[in-house]
Amino acid sequence: MLQIYNTASRRKEQFRPIDRQHVRMYVCGPTVYDFAHIGNARPVVVFDVVYRLLERLYPDVTYVRNITDVDDKINARAKETGEDIRTLTERTARQFHADVAALGALEPDVEPRATDHIQEMIAIIVELLDKGYAYHEDGHVLFHVPSMPKYGALSGHSRDELIAGARVEVAPYKRDPADFVLWKPSETSLPGWNSPWGRGRPGWHIECSAMSMKYLGQSFDIHGGGRDLIFPHHENELAQSRCAHPGSQYAKYWMHNGYLMAEGEKMSKSLGNFYTINELLQEFPGEAIRLALLQTHYRQPLDFTKESLRQAKHTLDRFYAALRGVADIAPGDAKADDVMAALLDDINTPLALSALHAALGDLNKAGTDAEKARLKAILLDGGEVMGLLQQDPEAWLRWQPTGGAGLSDGEIESLIARRAAARKAKDFGEADRVRAVLSENGVILEDKPQGTIWRRG
RNA sequence: GGCCCGGUGGCAGAGUGGUUAUGCAGAGGACUGCAAAUCCUUUUAUGUCGGUUCGAUUCCGGCCCGGGCCUCCA
């Protein structure tokens, strides 16, 4: 039985889907104006594991992750660089897809774009106006927060607190300082759509309300995203959706991943610790990045460092070396029960990884082929649900960084042949010289009874 | 100012009201021509001060430290 921590109740709960035959999950995706950074990668990887787990537990799962392609940051970036907005968003979305694919993330079932759902957003805004939860003022349509008594339940902020702490001057068209924008006017130079309130563009939160309803219905099971989205984004989404659709609960379970820091500091461009996925992929395999993200429980803060990546790479080297050793043994049909048990407890990936380590140790000690087949199956099964260990071991162990000036596979093989000849002639001085050359080029040798094997370290 | 989250051994990082998680690194050993890999053994911890309890790292409170949010910024 799956248990997940629900932000709405601030406790771990039994996961009981609305429809046991069909689980529905919505996760906030990227705003496409720049390379995705490692902080964006965390929810992608975390909810990919959730998706993989749900797929094992339920007959049908629909996973929706949106792309925000209308946003003031996008407009600002396009103005700054002179690039056409559509070109910018398309290019960035493609880059995002390539990056997260390298991290082993499965594609969501639906990946809707905000600009394709403007009519759906307008429809919700009309509902809110009709029902008296919103008002039209000075070209803007605003959600009237005091009209919803339960506003603030998700984030734990009361409206009064918000007003007390307000540090921004309240716009004149607001009836209440807590009110937020559903629709705003657009100048001709900015993207805009015709609406009952003139040419304009949507507020930040309305897209997720519109798209989740279209693809998942008025109520669905899981809504995920980074902790930083709880307020105001998710709080406002929740308010809009519930008020537009009385009787619906919107998301039943809210899951939020913790913050990510880089090298001990909050990530920021001025500190120079702003790793993009793309640049990290030049230096490390995507699976190492994925493992580094999964080594910490998703709700904990995570300090992402190059050192943690080196360790993750090293860890995977050990797993793949063991898998290479049993490459010619077909996996049995054993299942990774301990891995599953850990994941069922609020996606405890660090504990799941320790179960994988236990299987690795057992595999290294295994004496019989039957035992090896069983343990290989466990590693592959447990790895699969976490999106790990599915590559060809040989390919993994030969991986080298982009633009690496190291030796080619052929050069390595011929040096190994030279060393083998020297060893056969008992010329260990020459053999060690050859190995030193390989070692300087990051190639590690292992002499086995059947011959010498190698990997890039 | 208000609210929220976190503080575990050299590092990373879980569980747990009483019995060494796990990984990396370190030390010793086996194996090896030497290595590498692997295996075995092994050292180091629960921010701080109180409280509850027979007993707290684990529950409660104060404090300290780190991070975040407090609206059209994202």
Side-chain angles (χ1 to χ4, degrees), chain A residues 51-176:
Chain A
Y51 180 43
R52 288 167 184 265
L53 182 63
L54 290 171
E55 291 255 89
R56 286 192 177 201
L57 299 173
Y58 297 98
D60 192 16
V61 180
T62 299
Y63 170 27
V64 179
R65 185 182 63 209
N66 67 296
I67 285 184
T68 299
D69 59 355
V70 50
D71 180 276
D72 287 351
K73 285 195 300 296
I74 296 172
N75 300 338
R77 177 58 58 90
K79 191 175 177 186
E80 193 181 305
T81 63
E83 189 174 15
D84 173 68
I85 286 175
R86 187 77 187 179
T87 311
L88 169 65
T89 58
E90 287 297 324
R91 181 172 55 77
T92 308
R94 272 198 305 279
Q95 179 68 50
F96 175 77
H97 286 140
D99 288 346
V100 301
L103 299 181
L106 301 173
E107 290 178 23
D109 297 288
V110 188
E111 194 171 49
R113 298 188 182 214
T115 53
D116 292 333
H117 298 81
I118 301 293
Q119 292 316 310
E120 287 86 343
M121 298 184 214
I122 289 173
I124 293 180
I125 297 170
V126 168
E127 291 266 13
L128 289 169
L129 283 165
D130 287 351
K131 293 186 167 77
Y133 292 107
Y135 57 94
H136 177 208
E137 187 78 50
D138 197 17
H140 295 69
V141 181
L142 290 109
F143 184 89
H144 192 44
V145 167
S147 69
M148 187 197 189
K150 287 172 75 176
Y151 182 85
L154 177 65
S155 62
H157 290 298
S158 75
R159 175 184 153 278
D160 291 346
E161 281 170 16
L162 298 176
I163 294 165
R167 60 187 172 189
V168 177
E169 201 179 327
V170 177
Y173 46 79
K174 283 191 180 182
R175 288 186 192 166
D176 185 276

Side-chain angles (χ1 to χ4, degrees), chain A residues 9 45 58 92 106 126 140 142 152 159 163 195 202-203 237 239 243-244 256 266 332 346 378 413:
Chain A
S9 66
V45 169
Y58 297 98
T92 308
L106 301 173
V126 168
H140 295 69
L142 290 109
R159 175 184 153 278
I163 294 165
S195 78
E237 256 186 78
C243 291
H256 293 98
K266 181 186 175 183
D346 195 30
I378 288 173
E413 302 284 2

Side-chain angles (χ1 to χ4, degrees), chain A residues 217-239:
Chain A
Q218 293 182 1
S219 296
F220 53 96
D221 298 295
I222 296 174
H223 192 128
R227 180 185 286 279
D228 52 326
L229 295 178
I230 296 173
F231 191 89
H233 185 51
H234 288 163
E235 191 72 71
N236 291 350
E237 256 186 78
L238 179 63

Side-chain angles (χ1 to χ4, degrees), chain A residues 271-316:
Chain A
L271 286 168
N273 59 353
F274 201 89
Y275 298 136
T276 65
I277 301 172
N278 189 249
E279 72 181 310
L280 289 171
L281 286 170
Q282 311 300 313
E283 234 181 303
F284 297 93
E287 191 172 338
I289 299 174
R290 182 182 182 95
L291 177 60
L293 292 170
L294 294 177
Q295 270 170 337
T296 300
H297 183 83
Y298 77 93
R299 284 193 284 114
Q300 293 295 118
L302 166 57
D303 183 16
F304 192 88
T305 63
K306 289 274 183 86
E307 181 53 33
S308 71
L309 269 180
R310 276 186 283 274
Q311 275 206 25
K313 164 76 163 58
H314 177 70
T315 298
L316 288 166

Side-chain angles (χ1 to χ4, degrees), chain A residues 317 320-321 324 392-399 454-456:
Chain A
D317 285 346
Y320 278 117
R324 172 165 69 175
D392 170 41
E394 195 64 53
W396 170 271
L397 294 165
R398 293 183 176 198
W399 182 90
W454 62 273
R455 63 189 161 87
R456 291 194 174 91

